[in-house]
Amino acid sequence: VSIQVSRIIGRKIFHYVRVTSTQDKAKKLAENGFAEGAVIIAEIQTQGKGRLGRRWVSPRGGIWLSVLLRPEITPMEVPKITMIGSLAVAKAIAELTRLEVKLKWPNDVLIRTISGFEFKKVCGVLTEMVSGVSRVNYVITGLGINVNNRIPAPLRAKAISLKEVTGRNLPRQKLLRKVLEKFDKYYLNFGKQGMAPILKEYRGMSAVLRREVKIECPGRIIKGKALDIDEYGALIVKTQGGKERVIAGDVTIVKR
Ligand code: BT5
């Protein structure tokens, strides 16, 4: 009998009780020339980061981790890594809990709430990079998963923890192992076969495809029907004026 262990992601795991942000710790490793696959995990983040300078609430009970990667890609391809990370989390949660899980482009993992009428954010993914003109030097992908932690009241309209839906504390170790295994599997597969197989699975879990969406991008708002997610992780939207290719933004699904 052979045991499948992670081959790249999780080769080295550094565990902390409290950090400002696991992203910053991972950046230090990268700058010190560490090999890809190193994982930084913390019980508490005092300055957890979201995209565009936002805060990520990270109290005890969640899984807050960052992975150092050195993929051979161009800066334009970095959103692919975000997709791979969020797909890994989504699959891990689905396997462990049997909950209904969806991916909200570009970086959210959602689960169905107890009422059953809506999906809320259980995980956010943040990918940061240091790059030359044509080649990425390294990528830090941060995964923040609400497992057994409390969600502050102001966030509860949109955010949820696994504990809240399942009604019990979840084994974080088990979930962590699954997340790293899946991330490893998809990352290795990406190196061998590119994005096509990953995209297929990602599309299958998408919360936005075929829906009417409103996307808030830096400086503008785009409204239309989400048609597809392309090889580069961009969202293709059918608007009144034609088709738009959106690289990043905050999506709201328009209920009709
Ligand atoms: C994200 O940003 O969703 C990326 C979050 C990445 C967090 C991980 S934790 C490990 C690693 N270390 C870090 O410092 N960060 C990464 P964004 O899409 O911009 O969403 C941020 C917004 O989500 C905030 O402005 C809040 O409205 C909301 N939010 C904050 N904390 C949350 C939480 N714990 N659960 C759900 N939503 C939250």
Side-chain angles (χ1 to χ4, degrees):
V1 196
S2 74
I3 302 162
Q4 182 68 48
V5 289
S6 300
R7 283 203 278 167
I8 295 178
I9 292 164
R11 281 195 291 206
K12 281 248 163 64
I13 300 180
F14 299 90
H15 184 250
Y16 294 87
V17 174
R18 179 192 293 260
V19 298
T20 52
S21 160
T22 55
Q23 293 290 102
D24 300 337
K25 287 272 182 203
K27 264 178 238 168
K28 288 239 168 67
L29 289 185
E31 298 294 344
N32 287 328
F34 248 81
E36 71 168 345
V39 171
I40 302 275
I41 180 160
E43 295 298 312
I44 298 166
Q45 294 187 117
T46 55
Q47 288 173 58
K49 294 190 285 185
R51 291 175 302 155
L52 307 168
R54 294 177 193 140
R55 300 293 295 265
W56 184 258
V57 175
S58 322
R60 207 178 269 280
I63 294 178
W64 325 120
L65 69 84
S66 298
V67 184
L68 162 61
L69 295 170
R70 299 185 184 277
E72 289 182 11
I73 57 174
T74 62
M76 224 175 95
E77 294 177 272
V78 165
K80 294 177 178 178
I81 308 295
T82 303
M83 293 179 75
I84 294 170
S86 43
L87 181 63
V89 173
K91 292 282 184 187
I93 291 174
E95 248 182 51
L96 191 71
T97 66
R98 306 278 153 193
L99 293 173
E100 204 180 327
V101 188
K102 286 193 176 178
L103 292 163
K104 195 181 101 179
W105 184 92
N107 69 320
D108 292 354
V109 181
L110 313 179
I111 49 173
R112 193 187 285 282
T113 61
I114 310 169
S115 75
F117 297 125
E118 49 182 355
F119 283 80
K120 291 185 182 181
K121 180 164 174 172
V122 73
C123 165
V125 180
L126 172 68
T127 300
E128 297 180 291
M129 66 160 165
V130 167
S131 173
V133 183
S134 60
R135 229 59 207 160
V136 163
N137 179 215
Y138 65 83
V139 166
I140 309 286
T141 296
L143 309 176
I145 313 171
N146 298 317
V147 188
N148 302 323
N149 54 295
R150 280 202 48 188
I151 308 283
L155 292 181
R156 279 186 209 149
K158 287 184 174 167
I160 200 161
S161 69
L162 290 173
K163 179 179 183 173
E164 192 180 331
V165 188
T166 60
R168 61 187 169 94
N169 275 310
L170 260 91
R172 278 188 310 156
Q173 286 285 346
K174 210 168 159 183
L175 179 58
L176 170 66
R177 199 175 318 126
K178 261 196 200 300
V179 168
L180 297 182
E181 269 171 25
K182 304 245 177 238
F183 201 162
D184 192 59
K185 185 187 94 179
Y186 288 121
Y187 185 67
L188 284 167
N189 198 247
F190 167 63
K192 285 186 203 132
Q193 307 194 48
M195 274 307 272
I198 290 153
L199 249 182
K200 202 173 162 204
E201 292 197 47
Y202 189 98
R203 286 188 183 118
M205 295 185 90
S206 174
V208 303
L209 289 183
R210 293 173 297 279
R211 304 293 296 268
E212 294 293 327
V213 293
K214 185 182 98 181
I215 310 162
E216 290 170 67
C217 306
R220 66 191 186 130
I221 292 181
I222 295 164
K223 284 181 188 165
K225 187 175 180 178
L227 295 181
D228 198 12
I229 293 158
D230 74 13
E231 283 275 323
Y232 287 88
L235 188 68
I236 312 298
V237 186
K238 185 170 181 277
T239 62
Q240 285 194 325
K243 270 191 200 173
E244 291 231 32
R245 189 174 175 271
V246 191
I247 296 168
D250 289 298
V251 175
T252 310
I253 294 161
V254 182
K255 301 228 166 67
R256 286 199 312 166

